[in-house]
Amino acid sequence: MSPAEGVSDAEIEHLAGMANRLRRHVIKMTYFAGSGHPGGSLSAADMVAALYFRELRLDPSRPAWPDRDRFIMSKGHACPVWYAALAERGYFPVDDLWGLRSTGSHLQGHPDMRKTPGVDMTSGPLGSGLAAGVGMALGARITGRDFRTFVMLGEGDLQEGCTWEAAMLAGHRGLTNLVALVDYNRSQVDGRSDDIVRLDPLADKWRAWNWAVREVDGRDLHQVLDALSWATAPQDRPAVIIAHTVKGWPVSFMLDDPEWHGRAPDRDQAAAALAELGEVWAAPPRELKVEGSRSKVGLTPAAMAGQGDEAGARPDAPACIRPERGRERPRRVLRDAFGAELAALGADLPNLVVLDADISSSLKTGAFRMRYPERHVNFGVAEQEMFLAAAGLATTGLIPLACTYATFATLRAAEQVRSFIAYARLNVKIIASHGGLEVGWDGPTHQAGEDIAMMRAVPNMTVVVPADAASLPALLRQAVALDGPVYLRMGRNPVPILYDEGQPFTLGRAITVRQGADVALVACGPMVSLALEAAEQLEEQGIQAQVLDMHTVKPLDGEAVTRAAATGAIVTVEDHTILGGLGGAVAEHLAEHCPTPLVRVGIPDTFGRSGDPAELFPLYGMAVSDIVGAVLRVLQRKKAPAAP
Amino acid sequence: MSPAEGVSDAEIEHLAGMANRLRRHVIKMTYFAGSGHPGGSLSAADMVAALYFRELRLDPSRPAWPDRDRFIMSKGHACPVWYAALAERGYFPVDDLWGLRSTGSHLQGHPDMRKTPGVDMTSGPLGSGLAAGVGMALGARITGRDFRTFVMLGEGDLQEGCTWEAAMLAGHRGLTNLVALVDYNRSQVDGRSDDIVRLDPLADKWRAWNWAVREVDGRDLHQVLDALSWATAPQDRPAVIIAHTVKGWPVSFMLDDPEWHGRAPDRDQAAAALAELGEVWAAPPRELKVEGSRSKVGLTPAAMAGQGDEAGARPDAPACIRPERGRERPRRVLRDAFGAELAALGADLPNLVVLDADISSSLKTGAFRMRYPERHVNFGVAEQEMFLAAAGLATTGLIPLACTYATFATLRAAEQVRSFIAYARLNVKIIASHGGLEVGWDGPTHQAGEDIAMMRAVPNMTVVVPADAASLPALLRQAVALDGPVYLRMGRNPVPILYDEGQPFTLGRAITVRQGADVALVACGPMVSLALEAAEQLEEQGIQAQVLDMHTVKPLDGEAVTRAAATGAIVTVEDHTILGGLGGAVAEHLAEHCPTPLVRVGIPDTFGRSGDPAELFPLYGMAVSDIVGAVLRVLQRKKAPAAP
């Protein structure tokens, strides 16, 4: 280390010790959580320590103090090291750290400014922090306050154009109260950024954007402190510190390995990492962590309603459903089925191309990429570009399958999908995973709860939500065969396999997975299984519930809904907001064709939170018991229609 | 002009003559259309002539020829000069040009690849063309074709981050079959880009993005041709030509004047401009242009249904409605009322800040900006940044009103609004104009038809759609007083003033603007006036129609809908898709509380087209007569409910 001006050796030593302590917390937090992002947390630890234990003007007893310096972790997945610093700085008890990502905790999978003291800006979706920081810096100017705003960026942030929009305005306006720190570990989810979409010459980029630039070794606290002094000294433009770091540093088996971007250590790995960090730790079992934290959750399980039963008309055509009941059915992750079918499709269709945006490992496109590298493009973290490029590719006679999480496809790239793909009816397939509350631990920024409503509102769009890994291959093939845009939504977790071989699937045609004349459950995606479980429980009460798998939400199978309405009572079940999605589509059909009492089960017009889906579903009124309750409520209305 | 290598003087003269001819077409086209974008069309004319009459490998008789070179006009508003070149090149008759932006024409206000022969990519929303071009260039590589892709960019494109995402990938992959041309006239809607968000040092930016750069005088055809030769010669990276141009060139009264970005010349101005361009033209009246072109429209007016009437319950509380009937009511543009009230709010609320994204003139924020320049920020064409910065500003105790068109607020910035503003419940007001088909001439890329559905699906969001310029000020003030995110949607055109002074307005509380017991019309925005007209016509048939102004679509006034359902029949009326918006919200309420026959009037799940809204509304089934027809249809169902 070169000596930093005006900083004592003792202080450097103290900060280095703190950085080490934060790293140890990161290991334990992600171990306890069983998920999370250790790699980019470790690489940023020295900078976070320098900021929180020397540079930032803060008062942990007053998190809302208007004159505090602001810090934004734009690479929001690295929140473990940030939470660790906030705890050590006194914003909340260190023991809270062990609840990371659990249902009862205020520590979400990605930072939530409304839940965690000391978090000044929500983050997670990359490429957003610098623009939010521009707002804070402008706000300081307008309100005449002298606080500074610091934004930490990763490679993904720099691949997203929004970062460069913000950098342009900051340079134009000379926002000298804004400092960017790049945790430049050159590693992202899908590998090395130099391979995916390289950022060099990175310093030239910032200079051309009218920023002052300094490059440092981000592991050398002398250099980091010097650079912070330089960046906060009077100058005529905003300053960026490009800190060269190493992902996973200094844990030997995590070093510079993209695998550790978003994987939690197991018990042995955690103990080994801590040993390297100087701590002997006999890791307790993960289950110990959440004790006593449940009470922090503000939500209560939805109350259930009364009972009832009544006869109705009879639906048709039995489905080929596996014989097991409820939770006994074997489970499979839809993305795995997608990846396997994709590779097979690649052989059948030479004009199929697959596009990724840095999460190919999550979307399971690897087998296709290995076999057909010339037909695979990874855009890095740049979803808007990916969908526009998909439009361009489609015009050359190719069939692009553009793969990402549902929030990024339908929110980040909403205009690209609507105004360029759908308006032009281009033959692009939007493959989205991580739909719904079922995403769990990653938190609301990654839980797509509005995507079906949004895609359904877009003309020319077909919206497909397969229920299980058995129906996915057939529905995927039909989506690809359709000449036009399709939105195909999958969840994250394993879901029961419902269908036996021999079950036919047709886009736009619902499947009656269970007969029943008293009430109809119209469900999609992973909720079909829960609806079936609910129907099995209702049978024990003498209620015969029909269950429809509405795998195509648009175009809606109106005939099937009309037939279902013959029961006199309908419950829709979806892992999505109850506004405008499957429930909305069914409500519209009923009102226009056959007014019938309806109850919608789904996300109740609120944002979710991090946690185990098994805990979240009851909290948000989406468990099997809630479906049963909804049926009992709607049956009450069937017997005695409400006076208008 | 310096001589271009290998180009004869005669050819240069021919191209210069063609550029002049294209410019004359632009003047006539925008004059006839009465709207459109002449300034940026004129500045690009020399480059377009050089491309279409020398550089591009094309066959107008085969617009879909797979080996053709591709051209994308990313600055899509400059389509007049492009259409002129396509016509002169033989893609369609020159006479088609005079139908620009009219209902019967294939020439949309912004380029539509599905309507205009020779248009290879839809465009309009800035910052999209280069990414689409990346897709085409990748497609050429994958399919083994040697066509080249040329993308023309303006200042707005370069302020949008998506352009830099695409530039990054193109640089990384060395897409040498891709050429960008920057029509660098340094002028955008709101003024000079050097003042709003400067782009210099522009060449350095591209170099830092690993592109080869050449700067030329874009009016010098020798330089342009030389640069095209250079750009298409073998090299190791994509090439960009930065062409320094002058907006409006060479029409003296348009020169370098941002006013002429999006304003059509009147008859005298058109004649004067043409005289400067060497043509004596006695301008015919604008009305002559659309003769014989109506038949090209594929849509037919929606068929009307039967008649009927029946008694029902009685709603309450009369509204203070102006005495005039139907079309006699005076009209006012809501944006004007917004601009005036905004300036007044600025005096009352010192913490109000106004954000614009280059269309401040359209959003009428000028009076506020003039009075409170320190509380106004123009982000240029960078909506994602604007909404994130609004989030940041809100955290400093300010109340940001972020103003743009509805498509950009809810599509381009969908994730920023949802995951950063709504999730965090930040006190940001989203002020959106240009909602609905009523936008007319600008075409589908600018006609927000899904915004209400999208914003309604977002938790924590209040959605307000004022019906007239009299209700807007009160609803705006209440929106600002509410501590949380609000989406306020306005149309583009003048709408009748419905309310007299003395009418109270309350967010979340519908107004019964007309009593009637036979049927209820639930409308929002400019459709309240049309619903009222329909009710007046129905009265002549002896049908008493209640009309509700549902100015707050979320939270929906459920009690009012339940009362309306007492009539036994409901028609919803909105300038928005019938899926998931007001119609969807009412359908959901009815199904959950009081199943009642419903017919939804709105955009029928299809994209619009350019044209006069007075012509578009009947084509899309949204005219007064369509509302009357919808009422007659729903009354049939009231009498004889459909068998489920």
Side-chain angles (χ1 to χ4, degrees), chain A residues 112 114 125 161 165 172 195 205 208 384 412 415 418 423-424 447 554 580 588 591-592 598 600 605 637, chain B residues 112 114 161 165 172 195 205 208 384 412 415 418 423-424 444 447 554 580 588 591-592 600 605 637:
Chain A
D112 179 339
R114 292 298 188 191
E165 293 179 8
H172 173 72
D195 300 329
K205 285 185 168 60
Q384 297 184 301
R412 177 65 60 101
E415 189 190 39
R418 182 267 192 192
Y423 173 33
Q447 293 163 347
K554 183 180 180 182
E588 289 169 8
E592 288 261 8
L598 168 75
R600 292 163 293 160
D605 192 24
R637 287 176 52 210
Chain B
D112 179 341
R114 292 297 188 191
E165 293 179 8
H172 173 72
D195 299 331
K205 284 185 168 61
Q384 297 184 300
R412 178 65 59 103
E415 189 191 38
R418 182 267 193 192
Y423 173 33
Q447 294 163 348
K554 183 179 179 184
E588 290 169 7
E592 287 261 8
R600 291 163 295 160
D605 193 23
R637 288 175 52 210

Side-chain angles (χ1 to χ4, degrees), chain A residues 70 83 138 161 211 286 303 458 527 623:
Chain A
R70 308 302 205 270
Y83 295 158
L138 289 169
W211 284 57
R286 287 183 46 208
V458 172
M527 303 306 277

Side-chain angles (χ1 to χ4, degrees), chain A residues 345-389:
Chain A
L345 272 166
D348 299 347
L349 297 171
N351 60 340
L352 195 78
V353 293
V354 174
L355 316 184
D356 272 304
D358 196 41
I359 44 178
S360 67
S361 52
S362 188
L363 270 293
K364 312 290 182 190
T365 58
F368 180 94
R369 186 178 70 242
M370 295 291 282
R371 283 191 218 168
Y372 312 105
E374 74 288 357
R375 288 192 272 145
H376 179 268
V377 184
N378 197 328
F379 289 82
V381 186
E383 294 83 8
Q384 297 184 301
E385 179 197 5
M386 177 172 71
F387 285 105
L388 284 167

Side-chain angles (χ1 to χ4, degrees), chain A residues 558-572:
Chain A
E559 284 181 29
V561 175
T562 298
R563 282 198 305 274
T567 63
I570 293 187
V571 172
T572 54

Side-chain angles (χ1 to χ4, degrees), chain A residues 136-478:
Chain A
M136 291 180 178
L138 289 169
R141 280 194 176 178
I142 292 169
T143 57
R145 297 188 187 276
D146 68 349
F147 67 78
R148 295 101 36 99
T149 300
F150 298 79
V151 182
M152 182 168 286
L153 305 163
E155 292 75 22
D157 287 309
L158 299 175
Q159 289 170 349
E160 287 280 9
C162 189
T163 297
W164 299 105
E165 293 179 8
M168 197 182 286
L169 189 87
H172 173 72
R173 297 214 164 210
L175 294 181
T176 53
N177 54 355
L178 181 66
V179 176
L181 301 101
V182 179
D183 179 19
Y184 198 19
N185 61 37
R186 294 176 181 270
S187 170
Q188 54 191 104
V189 180
D190 270 353
R192 297 188 59 78
S193 53
D194 290 342
D195 300 329
I196 295 165
V197 181
R198 77 172 179 282
L199 295 164
D200 287 338
L202 186 54
D204 287 354
K205 285 185 168 60
W206 287 96
R207 279 189 205 102
W209 254 250
N210 299 305
W211 284 57
V213 185
R214 183 172 284 197
E215 299 194 63
V216 301
D217 181 336
R219 301 163 301 174
D220 181 333
L221 277 163
H222 286 281
Q223 290 188 36
V224 169
L225 293 178
D226 266 349
L228 284 170
S229 298
W230 161 84
T232 52
Q235 46 188 315
D236 69 344
R237 51 191 61 205
V240 56
I241 299 168
I242 299 175
H244 296 276
T245 60
V246 178
K247 201 160 203 159
W249 179 265
V251 178
S252 60
F253 59 89
M254 292 184 174
L255 273 188
D256 201 23
D257 182 355
E259 275 295 303
W260 287 100
H261 174 94
R263 195 173 85 193
D266 63 21
R267 203 163 165 172
D268 290 345
Q269 289 163 332
L274 286 165
E276 290 192 25
L277 294 165
E279 182 174 343
V280 179
W281 193 58
R286 287 183 46 208
E287 289 64 33
L288 285 181
K289 69 171 188 297
V290 289
E291 277 311 311
S293 57
R294 292 288 161 78
S295 61
K296 289 177 196 159
V297 179
L299 292 163
T300 57
M304 289 185 199
Q307 281 182 242
D309 70 314
E310 193 162 353
R314 186 149 299 278
D316 53 5
C320 305
I321 297 295
R322 291 180 66 99
E324 300 93 339
R325 281 175 68 91
R327 277 156 204 168
E328 296 155 22
R329 294 189 179 94
R331 289 169 177 261
R332 192 177 182 201
V333 174
L334 267 66
R335 294 174 289 153
D336 290 334
F338 167 72
E341 191 66 14
L342 188 61
L345 272 166
D348 299 347
L349 297 171
N351 60 340
L352 195 78
V353 293
V354 174
L355 316 184
D356 272 304
D358 196 41
I359 44 178
S360 67
S361 52
S362 188
L363 270 293
K364 312 290 182 190
T365 58
F368 180 94
R369 186 178 70 242
M370 295 291 282
R371 283 191 218 168
Y372 312 105
E374 74 288 357
R375 288 192 272 145
H376 179 268
V377 184
N378 197 328
F379 289 82
V381 186
E383 294 83 8
Q384 297 184 301
E385 179 197 5
M386 177 172 71
F387 285 105
L388 284 167
L393 282 159
T395 68
T396 67
L398 298 168
I399 304 176
L401 273 68
C403 310
T404 184
Y405 292 158
T407 48
F408 303 142
T410 65
L411 292 165
R412 177 65 60 101
E415 189 190 39
Q416 288 71 26
V417 167
R418 182 267 192 192
S419 291
F420 296 88
I421 293 172
Y423 173 33
R425 292 192 311 280
L426 286 169
N427 196 16
V428 174
K429 314 306 164 188
I430 302 154
I431 309 296
S433 78
H434 288 51
L437 188 66
E438 180 250 26
V439 171
W441 303 273
D442 272 350
T445 54
H446 289 58
Q447 293 163 347
E450 310 85 358
D451 58 321
I452 296 174
M454 291 181 169
M455 289 298 103
R456 195 173 75 85
V458 172
N460 299 338
M461 187 63 76
T462 294
V463 179
V464 184
V465 189
D468 73 351
S471 56
L472 183 128
L475 293 170
L476 174 67
R477 279 192 178 258
Q478 291 181 38

Side-chain angles (χ1 to χ4, degrees), chain B residues 76-137:
Chain B
H77 55 272
C79 53
V81 72
W82 189 17
Y83 295 157
L86 291 170
E88 287 291 345
R89 209 48 178 84
Y91 282 91
F92 48 81
V94 170
D95 276 351
D96 284 8
L97 296 176
W98 322 133
L100 174 72
R101 291 176 159 249
S102 67
T103 311
S105 170
H106 63 86
L107 299 176
Q108 302 295 291
H110 291 86
D112 179 341
M113 62 181 287
R114 292 297 188 191
K115 293 198 179 68
T116 307
V119 168
D120 282 326
M121 179 51 59
T122 295
S123 62
L126 296 173
S128 301
L130 193 61
V134 162
M136 291 179 178

